[in-house]
Amino acid sequence: MIVDTHVHIWEIDPPKYPIGPTAPTWKSYPDEPGTADELLAEMDVHGVDWCVLVQTSWSTWDNGYIADSVSRFPDRFVGHGLIDPQAADNADLVRYWVNERNLTGFRFHPLYYRDEKILLTDQNRAMWEEIDALDAVIQFHLNPAYADQVEGIARQYPNLKLILDHMGAPKISSGMLGFEPILSLAQYENVYVKISDIAGRSSKDFPFEDVHPFINALLNAFGAERAVWGTGYPGHHRIKHNWLSLSEELRLIREGLPFLTEADCDLILGGTAANIWRLS
């Protein structure tokens, strides 16, 4: 089974599917849609069985297009929305998007909030209690400076499955210096790492060997049984936004990382994700 755990799709059809920021300083917007249908066609060509759809930072806090796409293709997509960590009613919103709209999880961006530990505020305690009760899967867009917030959640809610997006954003120019907060999260069995944005981290050509030490360190810490794979955008939007093509993303895992065994590849490309999201 192949599972891509990180694909952003979007529609431009206001007011049904509005475009607008979810981050305090967000100013970038698309000039064309990147649709579920584009993604599904691409999945079929490359043998991808499932995708985890992740709400974009430019599609507002309304996760409607993600939810509608999951409803249209329930045997190919699962959906992760965004929840405003500053909204007073965010516990109610979590309940709505899971119970009424069939989302399976959410993504948070702690690095967008530099003035407070946004995930750990007293205001958000009710939100996390609701997330825990609903057994939602959570993804975090972060770098090592924000690992302590994930540690707080992992410790308090040991049954929640928590995923570190984009390898925890290693800084290649600094080497392993400063990356320990991400690696140390492996002590929590409910924390997983997403092997993604490898090309975006690298200053070299395929197979991006300057990133390999970080991938190896992550796998030594977490194990392939707690590692998943993710890409970016559907179809031609990948190249347009400087991501690898889907065929190259697959080739990178299968051929470009010589320290991976065949069993590792099977887990990273789908086995671990199938367990997290209970896919078959």
Side-chain angles (χ1 to χ4, degrees), residues 91-109:
D92 294 334
L93 291 168
V94 164
R95 190 162 48 248
Y96 166 75
W97 288 110
V98 174
N99 289 340
E100 303 297 325
R101 302 303 307 276
N102 296 317
L103 297 188
T104 60
F106 302 97
R107 189 190 199 206
F108 291 96
H109 303 79

Side-chain angles (χ1 to χ4, degrees), residues 221-237:
F222 288 86
E225 67 277 5
R226 284 199 282 150
V228 298
W229 167 74
T231 63
Y233 300 138
H236 74 278
H237 303 280

Side-chain angles (χ1 to χ4, degrees), residues 247-265:
S247 62
E248 287 292 276
E249 292 276 16
L250 286 163
R251 186 166 77 93
L252 178 57
I253 300 298
R254 289 168 170 160
E255 302 175 17
L257 305 177
F259 45 86
L260 295 184
T261 67
E262 184 177 349
D264 291 338
C265 290

Side-chain angles (χ1 to χ4, degrees), residues 71-246:
S71 180
R72 288 178 63 206
F73 305 106
D75 58 344
R76 303 299 297 278
F77 296 148
V78 294
H80 276 222
L82 298 182
I83 293 291
D84 185 352
Q86 295 180 317
D89 62 343
N90 53 24
D92 294 334
L93 291 168
V94 164
R95 190 162 48 248
Y96 166 75
W97 288 110
V98 174
N99 289 340
E100 303 297 325
R101 302 303 307 276
N102 296 317
L103 297 188
T104 60
F106 302 97
R107 189 190 199 206
F108 291 96
H109 303 79
L111 51 71
Y112 290 163
Y113 304 88
R114 298 180 180 180
D115 296 331
E116 62 179 332
K117 294 184 184 298
I118 191 67
L119 301 181
L120 303 178
T121 62
D122 288 342
Q123 172 190 309
N124 284 327
R125 187 173 296 125
M127 179 189 73
W128 287 110
E129 292 292 335
E130 194 65 44
I131 287 171
D132 186 48
L134 293 168
D135 195 27
V137 179
I138 303 300
Q139 305 185 40
F140 298 100
H141 183 199
L142 81 166
N143 61 38
Y146 301 87
D148 62 323
Q149 296 187 51
V150 176
E151 181 176 15
I153 300 302
R155 187 188 305 115
Q156 189 166 358
Y157 302 100
N159 295 318
L160 275 183
K161 293 181 174 65
L162 310 174
I163 303 170
L164 311 176
D165 284 352
H166 303 327
M167 302 179 293
K171 189 173 182 180
I172 306 303
S173 62
S174 299
M176 288 294 165
L177 182 67
F179 197 57
E180 181 58 32
I182 295 295
L183 297 175
S184 71
L185 289 172
Q187 69 185 287
Y188 300 98
E189 294 183 0
N190 58 328
V191 179
Y192 298 73
V193 63
K194 185 182 297 176
I195 308 301
S196 60
D197 194 28
I198 296 172
R201 293 280 142 198
S202 179
S203 61
K204 295 189 175 184
D205 294 332
F206 189 99
F208 317 114
E209 292 179 353
D210 51 346
V211 188
H212 290 193
F214 294 92
I215 301 172
N216 208 9
L218 287 166
L219 293 177
N220 285 338
F222 288 86
E225 67 277 5
R226 284 199 282 150
V228 298
W229 167 74
T231 63
Y233 300 138
H236 74 278
H237 303 280
R238 297 178 188 274
I239 306 304
K240 179 179 178 179
H241 292 274
N242 298 315
W243 294 79
L244 294 180
S245 67
L246 182 52

